[in-house]
Amino acid sequence: MSHFTRFRQLPQETEATATEDLPPDSSTENMPEHTPEDTPDGAVEAEAEVECTAEAEGAVEAEVEAEYTGTDTGTGTGTGTDTGPANGWRHRHPAAARAVAWTTTALAGALVLVTLLLPNDPARLTPAEFARIPVEGIAGAALLLLLPRTARRTAAVLAGAGLGLLTLLDLLDIGFAEVLGRGFNVVFDWALLGDGASFLQDSIGRAGTIGVEIAAVLLVLALLVLPALAVLRLSNLMARHGARATGTTLVLGTAWVVSSALGVQIAGAPVASRSTSDLVQARVDGVKATLKDERTFAKEAASDPYHHTPGSRLLTGLRGKDVIFTFIESYGRSAVQDPLMAPGVDAVLAKGTKRLRAAGYSARSGWLTSATYGGSSWLGHSTFLSGLWIDNQQRYRTVTAGDHLTLTSAFKRTGAWRTVGIMPGVTKSWPEGKFYGLDHVYDSRELGYKGPKFSWSTMPDQYSLSAFERLEHGKPHDKPLMSEIILTSSHNPWAPLPKTIGWDKVGDGSVYNSIEKAGKDPVDIWQQTDKVRTEYGKSVQYSLNSLISYVEKYGNKNTVLVFLGDHQPVAKVSGDHASRDVPVAIVAHDPDVLKRISDWGYTPGLNPGHKAPVWRMDAFRNRFLSAYGSHPGPAPSR
C-alpha cells in the first residue's frame, strides 16, 4: 500500500538529508562504509524501531483500507492487499470513503434484517414487525464466527442467497393473498405466473407487460444477489473485529432468550422472533401436505355416489326443459351488500325480478361459498359442476383427467339433451370440454365476433348471448338444450366497459369499436380504490342486465336458468377478510321447477336475503341432482 511504502522510506530520507549537508567537495563514494561494529547500539535500536513502526502502520493501513472496501484481511494481522495508487479517491477523501463504507455496511445490515423479519401476510406489514430480534440472525452470526475463512465466505454467500429466495416466496405470498386470498403454493402455483402475464398483456398492452416482466426479472436477480453480498460483507466485518462481534452476538442472544421467556412484545409482535424458521417449516409442511392431498383427492374423486346411476334415472324432473347454467365472472357477495357497489347492483336485481315476473318467470336465490377467491375462475366452475372441493390447480388436473360425473355430463348421460358450451374466455384448445360432457364448445374463435376486446374480456356479454341465440338456442332441435355459458365482461380490470344496446344492433360486434374507444383506461381507474370498486359494480350491472334481458326476450315456457358468481373480486374491491360467498339464483317459467326446491329455503327473487342459506359450492351438485331426479344408486344388474 502507498502509506506502507512511505513509512519504509523514512530511514532513506534521513540518510539523504545528512548527505546533502556535507561540504561541496565531499562525496558519498569516499565515505567509509559503516559496519555493524561501527554503528552505535542506539542507532541500531532506532533503525529497528522505525522498521517495526512501519510494519505496524502498514497493518493499520490494511485494516483501514479493508474498512473502506469491505474486503477481508484474513486474520487481521497481515498487511492486506494494495488496492490502488497513493492518489486514489479513498486517500484523497478519507472522510468520504469512511462514510461510504459505514453507509454500505449499515445498508447491508438493514437488508439482512428485513429479509429475516419480512412477514408473508400483508396484514402484518407494520413497523413493529421489523423492530424484533431474529434468532436466525444470531445463530448465523455465531456460526460464521466459528468457521475458517474459506468456509465462512462460502456459507455467507449461500445463506444470503437463501434469504433472498425466502424473501421472493414471501413476496409471492403477499401478492397471492391480495389477489387470490391465499398464499403461494410452491408445488403447483408457478404455472399461474404465466396466466398473470397474459392477464397483464390484456390489461396494459404488450409493451407495458414487457416492462413489468423485465422489472420482475431484475427484482428476482437482486433478491438473490444483494442479500448474498450483504451477508458476505457483514461476515468479513465480524472476522476483522472478532472479539467485538462475539460480544455483540452474546448480548443479542441473551436479549432474545430473556424476551422469549418473558413474552416481551412491541405493538403485539413478539420481540424474540423466529419467523424465518417458522416460515421455512411451514413451507416444508405445505409441500408435504400438498403431496398427501394429491393422493387423498384422487381417491375422493374416484368415489362418486352417482357414478353408476343410469341416465334414465337422472334429471327426470327437467325433461323437456332448456336448461342454462351461467357463470358471471367475479359476481360475489360484495356486489350486492357493499355500501358503495350494492345500491346499483341491487337496483338491477330488483328491477330484473319485476321484469321476469312480468314475463311469467319466478326466481329463488341463495348463497354458495366458492372454492376460490379473486381469480382462478375455473376452480369455481369445476367445484360447482363436479360436487368436489377444487381449490388448487392439482385438484383441477386430477378431476378433469377422470370421469367424475358433473352436472353438465349428467345431462349428456341421459341422452335427452344436446349439450353445448359458450366459452368466450377460451382462446385455444380446451380438452376439458369432454370431461364436462359438452357435445360442442364454442370458444372465442367460433363465436364470429368482429369487434374489439375489452381488456381481458374477448367480447361483451350481450354479444356472447346473441351468438348463443344465433348458433344454438334460436335453431330448431330434436332435443332440448343444456348450455353452459361463461359471461366475462365483469372480469378484472373492469375497464373499459361495454354498454347495453338493442339486440338488433349487436350484429357481428363491430358496433362495439366506438364504445371501447370511449371507455376508461384500466391504469386510470386502478389509481384509486373507489374508482375500481365503482367500475366493478358497473360491470356486474351490465352482465346482469344482459342476462335478464336475454331471458326476457328469448326465453320461453321451457326455459330454466341457473346463474351464479364464480368467486368474489380481489381484495382491493371486496375488502380485507371478505367472505367467499357468491349469489346463486334459479329462474323458471314452469312453477313445478321451483316447487322441487321449496325445502332449500331460498329467497324469492334474484337477490339473496341476508338470512338465505349458505352452502359450500361443492354441495350444490348432489342437491340439484336429488331435487330433479332420483337418489344416487348403482346401475341395475343385467
Side-chain angles (χ1 to χ4, degrees), residues 45 102 117 149 207 240 262 270 273 341 430 432 507 525 547:
E45 292 176 0
W102 287 349
L117 296 176
R149 182 175 184 274
R240 291 195 302 274
L262 298 179
S273 167
M341 301 171 291
W430 192 57
E432 290 92 330
I525 72 162
L547 184 59

Side-chain angles (χ1 to χ4, degrees), residues 512-589:
Y512 292 105
N513 282 300
S514 59
I515 298 175
E516 190 271 340
K517 290 179 180 179
K520 297 179 180 179
D521 190 297
V523 177
D524 293 336
I525 72 162
W526 276 84
Q527 293 177 354
Q528 297 182 23
T529 300
D530 285 350
K531 284 186 177 181
V532 178
R533 299 172 71 201
T534 298
E535 296 305 306
Y536 161 75
K538 291 179 180 178
S539 73
V540 173
Q541 294 176 46
Y542 169 78
S543 296
L544 290 170
N545 264 323
S546 298
L547 184 59
I548 293 168
S549 176
Y550 175 82
V551 174
E552 189 179 28
K553 182 174 180 62
Y554 296 111
N556 55 54
K557 64 179 182 179
N558 290 320
T559 298
V560 176
L561 170 67
V562 180
F563 73 92
L564 68 153
D566 45 23
H567 54 72
Q568 283 265 57
V570 295
K572 189 167 185 175
V573 174
S574 60
D576 295 330
H577 311 296
S579 75
R580 296 194 174 197
D581 296 346
V582 299
V584 58
I586 301 179
V587 180
H589 197 284

Side-chain angles (χ1 to χ4, degrees), residues 26 46 58 63 66 73 86 96 98 134 166 179 192 211 221 227 240 275 304 381 419 422 445 467 490 503 513 564 585:
S26 299
E63 184 170 349
T73 59
R98 187 178 296 276
L166 292 176
V179 176
L192 297 182
L221 292 176
R240 291 195 302 274
S275 57
D304 183 1
H381 302 168
T419 59
I422 304 297
R445 300 165 297 181
S490 52
W503 289 98
N513 282 300
L564 68 153

Side-chain angles (χ1 to χ4, degrees), residues 8-201:
R8 295 284 291 178
Q9 290 174 345
L10 284 175
Q12 299 174 7
E13 292 174 0
T14 303
E15 183 179 354
T17 303
T19 303
E20 291 173 358
D21 292 338
L22 292 175
D25 57 347
S26 299
S27 172
T28 57
E29 295 179 359
N30 299 325
M31 292 182 63
E33 294 184 2
H34 290 284
T35 63
E37 292 80 3
D38 298 332
T39 305
D41 292 342
V44 173
E45 292 176 0
E47 185 175 352
E49 183 176 354
V50 171
E51 293 287 347
C52 293
T53 302
E55 294 291 340
E57 297 213 18
V60 172
E61 288 298 321
E63 184 170 349
V64 171
E65 185 74 9
E67 289 284 354
Y68 290 162
T69 62
T71 55
D72 186 8
T73 59
T75 61
T77 58
T79 61
T81 303
D82 192 0
T83 60
N87 61 352
W89 77 271
R90 292 188 180 89
H91 298 284
R92 294 197 308 270
H93 309 285
R98 187 178 296 276
V100 170
W102 287 349
T103 301
T104 305
T105 301
L107 291 175
L111 178 59
V112 172
L113 187 65
V114 168
T115 56
L116 285 170
L117 296 176
L118 180 69
N120 66 341
D121 182 358
R124 291 170 49 206
L125 285 173
T126 61
E129 287 290 329
F130 300 97
R132 303 187 295 154
I133 305 174
V135 68
E136 300 84 4
I138 298 171
L143 176 62
L144 292 175
L145 286 170
L146 294 175
L147 293 175
R149 182 175 184 274
T150 301
R152 170 172 53 80
R153 293 171 66 88
T154 302
V157 172
L158 293 177
L163 286 177
L165 179 60
L166 292 176
T167 302
L168 174 62
L169 294 177
D170 290 341
L171 294 177
L172 287 172
D173 277 340
I174 293 172
F176 269 61
E178 287 291 323
V179 176
L180 300 179
R182 62 174 178 84
F184 179 79
N185 190 300
V186 297
V187 177
F188 47 69
D189 275 349
W190 298 103
L192 297 182
L193 299 180
D195 294 331
S198 299
F199 167 73
L200 277 178
Q201 184 167 332

